[in-house]
Amino acid sequence: MEANCTTAKEKQWLEKEEKQAKCKVYLDYNATTPPAAEVIDVVTQALQEAWGNPSSSYSAGCKAKQLIDTARAHIAQMVGARPEDIIYTSGGTEANNMVLFSAVDYFNITTKKELINSLDKALPHIITSNVEHDSITLPLKHLQGAHRAEVTFVPVSTTTGRVEVDDVVAAIRPNTCLVSVMLANNETGVIMPIGELSQRLVLISRERQAHSLPPILIHTDAAQALGKISVDVQKLGVHYLTIVGHKFYGPRIGALYVQGIGNKTPLLPMLHGGGQERNYRPGTENTPMIAGLGKAAELVSLHCAAYENHMRSVRDHMEQRLQTAFGNKIRFNSHFSGTERLPNTCNVSLLRPAVLGREWLSHCDYLLASVGAACHSDREYSPSHVLLSSGVSLDAARGAIRLSVGRDTTREDVDLIVRDLEQAAQRLENETPKKEELKK
């Protein structure tokens, strides 16, 4: 009899778990997105029909080459570029590293070749912001530590949450060779003034040429922006732009836009091998994933405005519901007066001392979200340096969670997770007296 009761309880528990699993609401689209159905179809078809080596002349190889070329055209169209200016990479980290190391090596090559006396013994200097992704920050710290480059990390404004153009310009030195600033921040959603920055740097580079100083190259990591807002390399005026597939419902590979690759803008290979991608990124091409990336880019080109409008509507509804539910018990860390932000991103803190954002999330039944960048998930109890750098207080930063909606998130989803966050906060409130009692 007891065994049957246990079995019945287990069955009831499993049914509850299954029901909750179906009701889970994923709001971590800034970390990664599920591949679109159209992308999965294209990848599957490529695995079946285009398995040949793209460098081969038989039918399966020709089919693979055709898919790669078509995908390149779609990716170029998505960012307003020419297909010949697109290079495939394994992802955003490789693309970012390729830009940084190319800038350093090219500076060393040109200063020696052109015998610029004032820079004869100078290290290349790179300017970035203090809220960049680790795939920018860590390579730069490596170059700095190895005495291969000088790096300036320009702080973002605590008023606007963005890096200001005047602050970047003020950091320029005679040996500055590259400015790398993300297009949109992954935690706050703040959009950086890349177009304005590029315009200023173009004028400065012209003045530098009169003094035999190298021009300043401009790079932006557009990982978070693509698929959420319109991205056009011509309007941005950048030399390099990083593309990351899994941020816009594509596969986990990437690409790099290089303006006038090898001619107007330098790019030096990090790998050496069979000569694929015009020797800039050798290795037999990953045809299925490239085809999927191309399809994801095509969807963005066709529907970006609709995606943007939908996500903004749902995100704004979510923030209104949160404000109504919590009032002054929460703080929106992604709100900066006069600053543009991504249409899908909300960073919010539960204003209770000693409560961590991950504790708030752990008490939720349905919400799937994170406290910040996925690459920082190992830093369990450390508040986000992005939020602290943006002027958020220590307590608010510790209690923060990031809610990023997607193309298919509905208002009903949002209504559910707001109620979920409410009950989670109430559970935390109920636990406080017990914790205080245990301390005595």
Side-chain angles (χ1 to χ4, degrees):
M1 185 68 179
E2 186 177 343
N4 290 335
C5 288
T6 303
T7 302
K9 288 179 180 178
E10 287 178 349
K11 184 178 180 181
Q12 188 179 21
W13 179 82
L14 288 171
E15 288 175 351
K16 181 182 177 182
E17 287 290 300
E18 185 178 354
K19 183 178 179 181
Q20 285 189 347
K22 290 179 180 178
C23 294
K24 295 292 186 184
V25 177
Y26 180 76
L27 292 186
D28 205 17
Y29 288 92
N30 282 7
T32 196
T33 57
E38 298 92 332
V39 170
I40 294 173
D41 289 343
V42 166
V43 170
T44 302
Q45 187 175 1
L47 283 166
Q48 294 170 336
E49 300 176 6
W51 47 265
N53 191 312
S55 299
S56 301
S57 58
Y58 43 77
S59 60
C62 292
K63 177 66 174 177
K65 180 67 165 59
Q66 181 184 3
L67 288 179
I68 290 170
D69 290 344
T70 299
R72 200 187 309 273
H74 286 315
I75 295 163
Q77 182 181 15
M78 176 178 66
V79 297
R82 303 179 307 169
E84 56 265 36
D85 289 340
I86 301 295
I87 294 293
Y88 294 117
T89 68
S90 62
T93 295
E94 182 186 339
N96 287 344
N97 274 258
M98 187 180 290
V99 171
L100 300 177
F101 283 87
S102 288
V104 166
D105 290 344
Y106 185 73
F107 175 90
N108 292 330
I109 292 169
T110 53
T111 52
K112 290 179 181 178
K113 183 179 179 181
E114 298 176 16
L115 300 175
I116 303 175
N117 294 330
S118 62
L119 300 178
D120 187 37
K121 296 181 180 179
L123 292 174
H125 175 236
I126 297 175
I127 300 172
T128 190
S129 81
N130 66 339
V131 295
E132 297 294 313
H133 189 269
D134 275 356
S135 59
I136 291 290
T137 300
L138 296 183
L140 286 178
K141 288 184 176 180
H142 167 77
L143 287 166
Q144 196 176 32
H147 304 289
R148 293 180 57 190
E150 296 175 353
V151 182
T152 298
F153 294 92
V154 176
V156 295
S157 166
T158 56
T159 301
T160 65
R162 67 181 198 171
V163 65
E164 298 298 341
V165 174
D166 287 343
D167 293 336
V168 173
V169 170
I172 293 174
R173 305 173 187 173
N175 56 325
T176 301
C177 62
L178 176 73
V179 171
S180 177
V181 176
M182 59 175 32
L183 184 51
N185 186 264
N186 49 314
E187 294 190 41
T188 62
V190 166
I191 299 172
M192 303 296 177
I194 302 302
E196 182 186 348
L197 177 60
S198 297
Q199 290 176 2
R200 290 282 295 276
L201 293 179
V202 166
L203 296 175
I204 290 170
S205 288
R206 288 175 185 168
E207 294 174 3
R208 286 164 64 90
Q209 286 180 332
H211 297 87
S212 299
L213 294 175
I216 301 172
L217 299 167
I218 311 156
H219 166 245
T220 191
D221 180 349
Q224 287 298 332
L226 288 165
K228 300 166 188 168
I229 60 173
S230 175
V231 176
D232 189 316
V233 294
Q234 307 303 323
K235 293 179 181 178
L236 293 173
V238 294
H239 297 98
Y240 308 97
L241 183 137
T242 296
I243 299 164
V244 182
H246 73 97
K247 301 293 187 180
F248 56 95
Y249 295 77
R252 288 199 173 113
I253 64 165
L256 178 66
Y257 159 78
V258 186
Q259 182 188 47
I261 184 169
N263 182 13
K264 185 173 182 179
T265 304
L267 186 70
L268 303 176
M270 294 182 68
L271 304 173
H272 300 274
Q276 293 86 354
E277 291 299 283
R278 289 161 287 165
N279 279 316
Y280 293 115
R281 209 291 184 178
T284 304
E285 299 92 339
N286 189 347
T287 307
M289 295 300 105
I290 289 173
L293 183 63
K295 175 52 73 171
E298 182 184 16
L299 293 174
V300 170
S301 296
L302 292 172
H303 307 297
C304 188
Y307 295 154
E308 180 178 354
N309 291 336
H310 172 75
M311 288 186 286
R312 179 175 286 108
S313 174
V314 173
R315 190 273 314 274
D316 289 350
H317 175 69
M318 176 173 65
E319 292 188 345
Q320 291 166 4
R321 287 295 314 276
L322 286 168
Q323 187 68 67
T324 300
F326 289 95
N328 60 5
K329 294 180 181 178
I330 58 170
R331 180 189 194 277
F332 291 109
N333 305 313
S334 44
H335 289 187
F336 295 91
S337 179
T339 298
E340 291 184 83
R341 60 175 169 141
L342 294 174
N344 78 317
T345 305
C346 168
N347 195 299
V348 62
S349 294
L350 182 62
L351 297 179
R352 285 192 54 210
V355 171
L356 300 175
R358 69 177 58 252
E359 288 181 322
W360 193 13
L361 289 176
S362 70
H363 285 69
C364 291
D365 292 326
Y366 306 105
L367 174 61
L368 301 176
S370 66
V371 295
C375 57
H376 296 162
S377 59
D378 59 328
R379 306 171 194 174
E380 284 193 41
Y381 303 106
S382 299
S384 163
H385 80 280
V386 169
L387 296 183
L388 294 175
S389 299
S390 302
V392 178
S393 70
L394 179 61
D395 280 346
R398 284 169 57 85
I401 61 174
R402 180 184 67 182
L403 307 174
S404 47
V405 306
R407 297 175 186 173
D408 300 319
T409 307
T410 66
R411 292 190 172 213
E412 289 74 23
D413 292 332
V414 163
D415 292 341
L416 175 61
I417 70 98
V418 170
R419 291 194 298 270
D420 201 21
L421 286 167
E422 279 188 279
Q423 62 82 21
Q426 187 59 55
R427 287 178 183 175
L428 284 168
E429 191 76 37
N430 294 340
E431 286 179 2
T432 301
K434 296 178 182 178
K435 290 181 179 179
E436 294 298 322
E437 188 66 29
L438 289 172
K439 289 179 183 178
K440 294 180 180 179

